[in-house]
Amino acid sequence: MDDIDRAILRELQSDGRIPYADLGPKVGLSPSAARQRVQRLIDTKVVQVVGVTDPMAMGGQAMALLGVKVDGDARAVADLLGRRDEVVYSVLTSGGYDLFAEVVCHDPRTLLDFINDVVRPAEGVTAVDNFPYFGIHTHRFAWNV
């Protein structure tokens, strides 16, 4: 990956549907060269083109990152949580928590119920810390490339 690839990725993060006619000049390439570069990034699996929903637009008004500590197999808990509609993603870690799960619920009460009725009673879960997101109206990941 070179500086032009990084510039392309920055532009795609800002607007994933940018026309090649606009992308090329922004990164110092012709539109056809930009298209070829983007296709190479896709073919080599550096970039994935996916649809990402906005949880707030879909009715979720309570979002939180859950830090979960597990005594036993954290993968089983991550798999359990990953099957739930409320969970955007679950990921195993090697830090102070055994896994993180990002959760979106309709309202704060539903989030509390999910934590108390689903996560805490899961086999092996010893602790759950809740890091709620307040006042978030857009949810977006941007990587510094």
Side-chain angles (χ1 to χ4, degrees):
M1 182 173 312
D2 62 15
D3 289 341
I4 293 175
D5 289 338
R6 286 183 197 58
I8 289 171
L9 292 176
R10 281 192 296 275
E11 293 299 328
L12 291 174
Q13 284 181 358
S14 177
D15 179 2
R17 296 175 49 116
I18 187 172
Y20 294 119
D22 296 337
L23 176 63
K26 286 187 175 199
V27 300
L29 297 173
S30 68
S32 63
R35 182 189 59 73
Q36 289 173 344
R37 285 279 190 129
V38 170
Q39 190 59 53
R40 182 178 51 78
L41 292 168
I42 292 169
D43 290 345
T44 59
K45 305 207 184 299
V46 171
V47 171
Q48 288 183 330
V49 179
V50 297
V52 178
T53 59
D54 179 349
M56 302 304 253
M58 295 181 66
Q61 298 300 313
M63 296 179 69
L65 181 67
L66 304 181
V68 182
K69 295 181 180 182
V70 177
D71 181 20
D73 187 3
R75 292 172 295 196
V77 177
D79 288 344
L80 169 82
L81 295 179
R83 289 191 295 270
R84 296 294 303 228
D85 289 338
E86 299 90 342
V87 177
V88 176
Y89 68 85
S90 62
V91 61
L92 298 170
T93 70
S94 60
Y97 295 96
D98 296 299
L99 68 99
F100 285 111
E102 185 174 38
V103 178
V104 178
C105 294
H106 292 293
D107 54 47
R109 177 57 190 230
T110 307
L111 174 61
L112 180 63
D113 290 345
F114 179 77
I115 293 168
N116 286 329
D117 298 341
V118 175
V119 182
R120 285 196 170 108
E123 185 175 341
V125 171
T126 59
V128 179
D129 288 331
N130 175 18
F131 304 96
Y133 308 158
F134 293 110
I136 303 295
H137 296 288
T138 58
H139 189 70
R140 182 177 188 183
F141 293 102
W143 307 101
N144 186 19
V145 291

